[in-house]
Amino acid sequence: MKKHNDQLEVFFEQLQTQLDEQSPLLGHEERFLQKLKHNKKPSKKRMWLPFTIAASLLFLVGMVYLFQPKTEIQPSEWQNASIQTKETHDYFMSVIQKELAQLQTNQTEETKPIIEDALKQMAVFDADYQKIMSELQKNGDTKQLLHAMILNFQTRISFLELIIQKIEIINHQQIIQHENSF
C-alpha cells in the first residue's frame, strides 16, 4: 500500500510543473455565463404528451372493441342436436385425433405414400361427415342421422387402425431386413 502511495506522490510531483496556474482574464466568468444564456437551446415542452394521449385513447378504444359483447347470434352447428350427440361427437373425435397422431409418429420414407393416401381417404370421410352435420342442422336429431354419424366415426377409426397395423408391419419388416443385412 505504501508503495502505491509513493507512486501517486511521484506522479503528482511530475504533474506539478505541467499544470496551468494562470488565472483567467478579467470578465471571463461573465462572458462564459453570457454565452450559456445565449446558446441555451429551447426546451422541448412536452412534445411527447400528445402522442401518449393518442396512444392511450387508441388503447382504450381497442379494449372496448375487444371486450364488447357480441350481439349477433351465430347459428351453432349443434343448436338442433342433443347434448348426448355433442358428447358422442367429442368422444369419437378425440379417438380419431389420437389415431391420427399415432399414424404421424409411425411415418417413415417407406410408409409416407400409404399415410398420404390414408389422409386423402380421411378427407372423403370428413366430407361425408359434413353432409351428415348439415342434415343435423336442418332436421335435428334423428335416429338415422345419429346412426350415420356414429357409423362414419367407427369407419374412420377402423380405417385408421388398419393403416396403423399395415405401417407397423412394414416398419417391423424393415427392422428385420436391416438386422439380417449385418
Side-chain angles (χ1 to χ4, degrees):
M1 179 77 171
K2 183 172 173 129
K3 184 177 181 182
H4 183 65
N5 284 341
D6 290 339
Q7 289 176 345
L8 282 175
E9 285 182 30
V10 169
F11 176 71
F12 282 115
E13 285 176 8
Q14 289 173 351
L15 284 178
Q16 191 69 25
T17 60
Q18 297 174 356
L19 293 177
D20 187 12
E21 296 177 359
Q22 296 177 358
S23 58
L25 298 174
L26 271 177
H28 173 74
E29 186 177 351
E30 291 172 14
R31 288 191 308 272
F32 180 72
L33 292 174
Q34 288 274 340
K35 283 185 180 180
L36 277 180
K37 287 181 185 178
H38 208 346
N39 289 338
K40 191 175 185 180
K41 294 182 181 178
S43 64
K44 295 181 182 177
K45 294 185 179 181
R46 300 184 180 172
M47 293 296 289
W48 50 269
L49 187 60
F51 293 114
T52 57
I53 293 172
S56 298
L57 289 175
L58 188 62
F59 177 75
L60 288 174
V61 169
M63 294 305 287
V64 168
Y65 178 75
L66 182 65
F67 292 110
Q68 182 179 12
K70 306 291 186 234
T71 55
E72 294 179 24
I73 298 175
Q74 298 189 6
S76 168
E77 63 182 342
W78 299 104
Q79 71 186 17
N80 292 333
S82 67
I83 294 173
Q84 291 83 6
T85 304
K86 171 89 171 88
E87 289 173 354
T88 303
H89 168 268
D90 293 343
Y91 170 75
F92 278 113
M93 286 305 290
S94 69
V95 172
I96 289 170
Q97 293 300 323
K98 182 181 138 200
E99 295 291 329
L100 282 171
Q102 186 177 359
L103 186 71
Q104 295 295 334
T105 58
N106 291 330
Q107 183 173 338
T108 62
E109 285 300 318
E110 290 78 17
T111 60
K112 188 174 182 177
I114 295 171
I115 292 174
E116 288 174 353
D117 287 343
L119 293 176
K120 288 178 186 173
Q121 182 59 41
M122 289 298 291
V124 172
F125 291 142
D126 191 47
D128 291 342
Y129 181 72
Q130 293 306 321
K131 291 176 188 174
I132 294 169
M133 289 304 295
S134 173
E135 287 296 316
L136 182 70
Q137 288 175 347
K138 291 179 190 173
N139 304 326
D141 280 346
T142 65
K143 281 190 173 189
Q144 282 183 317
L145 288 176
L146 292 176
H147 180 70
M149 184 176 84
I150 292 172
L151 185 61
N152 181 280
F153 285 134
Q154 288 174 338
T155 304
R156 287 194 218 188
I157 293 169
S158 297
F159 175 73
L160 286 173
E161 288 174 346
L162 180 66
I163 296 299
I164 290 171
Q165 285 176 354
K166 285 182 180 180
I167 290 173
E168 288 175 350
I169 290 170
I170 291 171
N171 288 340
H172 184 68
Q173 288 174 347
Q174 289 176 347
I175 290 171
I176 291 172
Q177 286 176 353
H178 183 59
E179 289 174 355
N180 289 339
S181 64
F182 287 110

